[in-house]
Amino acid sequence: MDAPARSWPPSVGDYAERQGLFRLLQNMLEELLIHKPEDPVQFMIEHLEQHNDDAPRIFILGPPASGKTTMAIQLCKHLDAIRISQETLLSKETLALTKEAKAYKERKQQIPNALWANLIRERLSNVDCIKQGWILEGFPENQEQARLLQSSGIIPRHVVVLYAADTMLIERNSGKRLDPLTEEVYHTTFDWPSDVQIQQRLVKPDVTEEEMSKQLLEYHRNFPGVFHIYHKILRSINADQPCVDVISQALTYVQTQPRSAAPFTPRILFCGPPGSGKSLQAALIAQKYGVVNICCGQLLKEAVADKTKLGELVKPYIDNGYPVPDNMVMKILERRLNAPDCMTKGWVLRGFPRDIEQAERLQKACIIPNRLLLMVEVGLVKSWVQQLRRSLMSASFQVSRKRKKKNFYF
């Protein structure tokens, strides 16, 4: 495999990296191993035609009253994904297994884990979930359910787990109110709706404090097994904080791309003020990893010394100590970074860009680094920390004043 790869043009690897071909092939291979179709080629063709590999696949987990429903609804609004929960599955009359699951519930029997897994798989195979992505709320509840989902090919990319103290969750549950029309959750103290019509149709969940304690005990007993399966893609978020902060942390996490095992050509950009150590660190990285070390200022001097056409144009600016126009710098830099050694080995660049306009020129030229290192002075960091502390103290004072009027819990 390695020998033919060395004969490929450098542009082939660059194209594969930019288009995410490694991740695409990895996803297709996973689907092949899970479904084991009789005709693998036709299966892959249908996968490319129907599936959206960039669609969100998210689990929202947590103890009762931790805000899973609120979290799932808000994330679905931001990501345009389909929300899946046990309640929505039982209300989906078009699913073949819904009647069987409802029969268990009417007899007040526990729905088997295998039936839940098959019901979820049937729902996620619908076109809307395939195209838009999905957010599964409150499931799996134990390790057996997680194993069944894995064997059914239901593998999330992100798992968000909400947590809070049991005493707070019990208190929150006592004031919890549910809107049966929109399935949104409100609270009598922390989040009461201003619309009178919504207030009139709110219902109180039929869960006593004793039942809530049992549910919390069951959750704490089962969650370690679930954590063991999803710990590599799991993010825990404290639910005992303002709702906006919880949603913001979850949204930031689910919008990050999972770490890829794909090979890539290093394109490293060093930024920082003069004297911050960019040259030394760039030289060490170039020596250790075998990448091309490029200094923009040195590159301009070499162009002048070689007496190229661009070098003749740049020479008067350098001799007189004037900054070289960005368009000239970009032509020299683009020619160097597109050279075969840079395309094959990768590069580490310093001295450019120095402002937003230059960075935009790099992007327009399709020169996009995949690693950015910012070198800053300790004194500058301390001043930033002091400014941040002052702003946080001011913000906390304003929030404390607002909380006297209204609490921001779920």
Side-chain angles (χ1 to χ4, degrees), residues 50-67:
Q50 299 177 4
H51 287 70
N52 180 11
D53 290 322
D54 294 327
R57 300 177 184 176
I58 304 168
F59 284 178
I60 305 293
L61 306 178
S66 59

Side-chain angles (χ1 to χ4, degrees), residues 182-215:
T182 62
E183 297 185 354
E184 293 193 23
V185 179
Y186 296 91
H187 198 278
T188 54
T189 304
F190 305 135
D191 187 19
W192 190 247
S194 57
D195 193 333
V196 179
Q197 294 182 351
I198 298 178
Q199 295 177 9
Q200 293 175 350
R201 66 171 183 253
L202 293 180
V203 296
K204 182 179 180 180
D206 190 18
V207 180
T208 63
E209 184 173 332
E210 183 179 357
E211 292 174 344
M212 181 69 177
S213 300
K214 291 181 179 179
Q215 291 179 7

Side-chain angles (χ1 to χ4, degrees), residues 100-124:
E100 184 179 352
K102 279 186 174 181
Y104 279 96
K105 192 172 184 179
E106 291 173 357
R107 296 193 298 266
K108 296 184 179 180
Q109 296 178 348
Q110 186 176 2
I111 300 176
N113 292 332
L115 181 57
W116 273 124
N118 292 331
L119 190 60
I120 293 172
R121 180 177 60 179
E122 184 182 0
R123 178 66 183 92
L124 298 185

Side-chain angles (χ1 to χ4, degrees), residues 102-251:
K102 279 186 174 181
Y104 279 96
K105 192 172 184 179
E106 291 173 357
R107 296 193 298 266
K108 296 184 179 180
Q109 296 178 348
Q110 186 176 2
I111 300 176
N113 292 332
L115 181 57
W116 273 124
N118 292 331
L119 190 60
I120 293 172
R121 180 177 60 179
E122 184 182 0
R123 178 66 183 92
L124 298 185
S125 63
N126 291 357
V127 178
D128 56 348
C129 291
I130 294 175
K131 295 295 184 182
Q132 297 176 237
W134 45 264
I135 297 176
L136 183 58
E137 170 199 330
F139 202 91
E141 298 175 338
N142 51 56
Q143 192 175 48
E144 181 185 356
Q145 293 176 352
R147 297 292 187 192
L148 288 170
L149 290 181
Q150 282 188 327
S151 62
S152 300
I154 302 172
I155 302 174
R157 292 197 181 97
H158 301 88
V159 177
V160 177
V161 177
L162 302 175
Y163 70 91
D166 289 354
T167 53
M168 190 275 289
L169 294 173
I170 294 174
E171 180 184 356
R172 180 184 291 183
N173 182 71
S174 62
K176 184 179 178 181
R177 296 296 183 270
L178 180 65
D179 187 346
L181 187 61
T182 62
E183 297 185 354
E184 293 193 23
V185 179
Y186 296 91
H187 198 278
T188 54
T189 304
F190 305 135
D191 187 19
W192 190 247
S194 57
D195 193 333
V196 179
Q197 294 182 351
I198 298 178
Q199 295 177 9
Q200 293 175 350
R201 66 171 183 253
L202 293 180
V203 296
K204 182 179 180 180
D206 190 18
V207 180
T208 63
E209 184 173 332
E210 183 179 357
E211 292 174 344
M212 181 69 177
S213 300
K214 291 181 179 179
Q215 291 179 7
L216 288 171
L217 183 63
E218 186 71 14
Y219 171 81
H220 293 309
R221 183 185 297 115
N222 292 323
F223 179 71
V226 178
F227 176 85
H228 176 71
I229 294 177
Y230 299 117
H231 68 278
K232 291 185 179 180
I233 55 172
L234 184 145
R235 173 72 179 272
S236 298
I237 299 177
N238 185 6
D240 189 11
Q241 57 181 321
C243 179
V244 176
D245 295 339
V246 178
I247 299 297
S248 176
Q249 293 177 39
L251 187 61

